[in-house]
Amino acid sequence: IATRTASFDATTWSGRVWGIAVDPRNPNVVYIGTDGGGVWKTTNGGTNWVPLTDSQANINIRDLALAPSAPDTIIAATAGGGILKSTDDGATWTPLHPTSGDYVYSVAVHPTNASIVLAGGCTQISRSADGGNTWSITLTVPSNYCLLRQVVFDATNGSIAYAAMGDGLHRSADGGLTWSLVAGSGLPSGPFSWVTVAIAPSSPNILYLALKGY
């Protein structure tokens, strides 16, 4: 847990941690996104932390990601404030507003093209091909109450992306432009209030899906 001072202080906290991203160039550099506490950064493996977004209008972070091909670029999803983007390791930030709305549950950046970003909302996925300046909605699912959604790129193949939504798991084979609902055997039927997906680093063919019903 991060604190709001340079050293550990048991009286001031960042808030619940929703996202963690490690700089691929240096494992001691880690960013976290917190609920009501904004984005924090450590450069010494977690011993000390500093807040990066205290001056922003919305610091209710729901997810964050580093661009794999440009790790100085940080994309942070907020609850109600769209997306916060930094291209200088968190020194400055720009607010972005996906077409699907400003309540963003999850963000993902293409593994080799930092301009391609996916933003997961409650019932829609937005896609940007210009680093977040403009957006288009590429997936809409039935409306229902939602707690968590997840969108991820295959780290080994930027054409493949997955979106865990209220009606189940969707897969894209063209970098998030179009989607199809995965109907594999063993998958329960929706709707779901809480859905997350992860790709095994050892093999992109192995997926882990967490689902919570109503």
Side-chain angles (χ1 to χ4, degrees):
I1 298 296
T3 65
R4 196 167 289 280
T5 59
S7 60
F8 191 86
D9 178 352
T11 63
T12 310
W13 303 89
S14 65
R16 178 170 43 184
V17 176
W18 281 105
I20 299 176
V22 180
D23 191 324
R25 303 163 299 187
N26 182 352
N28 286 318
V29 177
V30 183
Y31 300 87
I32 59 173
T34 67
D35 187 357
V39 178
W40 296 67
K41 179 182 180 180
T42 178
T43 58
N44 56 11
T47 301
N48 306 104
W49 296 82
V50 293
L52 301 179
T53 55
D54 281 359
S55 63
Q56 300 303 309
N58 189 307
I59 56 174
N60 295 310
I61 309 300
R62 285 296 178 266
D63 190 24
L64 81 166
L66 304 184
S69 61
D72 292 336
T73 297
I74 310 164
I75 305 291
T78 78
I83 286 173
L84 296 177
K85 177 183 178 181
S86 174
T87 58
D88 52 14
D89 298 308
T92 60
W93 298 85
T94 301
L96 308 174
H97 300 281
T99 311
S100 55
D102 279 344
Y103 202 116
V104 185
Y105 285 92
S106 181
V107 288
V109 186
H110 190 283
T112 60
N113 186 345
S115 294
I116 299 177
V117 182
L118 299 177
C122 183
T123 61
Q124 294 177 321
I125 298 294
S126 285
R127 182 183 190 271
S128 176
D130 56 11
N133 293 317
T134 60
W135 298 84
S136 60
I137 295 175
T138 60
L139 174 65
T140 299
V141 303
S143 176
N144 54 70
Y145 176 74
C146 59
L147 295 174
L148 187 64
R149 302 290 185 256
Q150 192 76 36
V151 60
V152 296
F153 274 106
D154 182 336
T156 65
N157 182 352
S159 295
I160 305 300
Y162 296 93
M165 303 296 285
D167 60 343
L169 181 65
H170 295 256
R171 182 180 186 273
S172 174
D174 52 15
L177 289 170
T178 61
W179 300 86
S180 59
L181 188 64
V182 176
S185 61
L187 286 175
S189 58
F192 306 103
S193 62
W194 189 299
V195 194
T196 62
V197 62
I199 302 173
S202 59
S203 173
N205 293 323
I206 299 175
L207 303 179
Y208 294 92
L209 188 63
L211 305 152
K212 179 183 178 182
Y214 287 89

